[in-house]
Amino acid sequence: LAKTTQPISMDSYEGQEVNITCSHNNIATNDYITWYQQFPSQGPRFIIQGYKTKVTNEVASLFIPADRKSSTLSLPRVSLSDTAVYYCLVGDNQAGTALIFGKGTTLSVSS
Amino acid sequence: DTGVSQDPRHKITKRGQNVTFRCDPISEHNRLYWYRQTLGQGPEFLTYFQNEAQLEKSRLLSDRFSAERPKGSFSTLEIQRTEQGDSAMYLCASGWTGGGYGYTFGSGTRLTVV
């Protein structure tokens, strides 16, 4: 499975856009890039998934360059409730490999 | 769709006792995963099932850990002869083969071994 590297922590203020970048230099051809969010004492929650270019949903956008060796999760206009741990993962679900989580990025949003 | 349900939410047990946790996945999902999470760490993958078949169990932490998914519905995770190091949050997630990695996680069972 491709290893991912992301910042341990980030700080932001309410109303700002937050971009969390993840490196995955040895991503395989069939791997997808997936992001999860986790609040304390809760299970992780799926945010977004993509393969290439840009994916957007009601929560976030995911930008993936052509070489796919990195990706950026973009959270528009964060609020205090976006304070959480964000995990970047890569893998091939069709092949049956389970997601392997790293330590994630702890995002702290202040007022 | 009531989400993934885990029972109990909290469990306190004495060292050496056996414990069993239950996970009820989303009914349409054919895959079920177990993870363990300790403080400050990301979830650690333990095992997963596709329908009733356990397709990956090499990451179970020791032979004290076992999981079942009879009839491809709910699943149980058992820890025998618990140790203090087993204290953690045990998470269950479900998904389906064609659903990418959009797993749905339960709220977990927090185990404390005293």
Side-chain angles (χ1 to χ4, degrees), chain A residues 9 18 24 44 58 62 67 71 75 80 82 91 94 99 102-104:
Chain A
S9 64
V18 172
H24 27 81
E58 65 278 5
L62 178 59
D67 66 6
S71 59
L75 305 171
L80 296 176
D82 292 314
Q94 290 298 321
L99 279 175
K103 289 190 175 182

Side-chain angles (χ1 to χ4, degrees), chain B residues 28-33 93-97 99-100 102-104:
Chain B
E28 300 82 16
H29 288 174
N30 64 343
R31 284 186 176 170
L32 186 149
Y33 307 82
S94 70
W96 59 285
T97 311
Y103 301 174
T104 300

Side-chain angles (χ1 to χ4, degrees), chain A residues 19-56:
Chain A
N19 296 309
I20 307 175
T21 297
C22 177
S23 297
H24 27 81
N25 290 318
N26 58 340
I27 187 169
T29 302
N30 294 330
D31 285 347
Y32 277 73
I33 301 156
T34 309
W35 286 80
Y36 278 78
Q37 174 193 57
Q38 187 176 27
F39 299 112
S41 298
Q42 293 187 25
R45 182 177 75 104
F46 172 82
I47 300 176
I48 198 166
Q49 176 177 275
Y51 183 81
K52 62 180 178 180
T53 63
K54 177 184 174 183
V55 180
T56 297

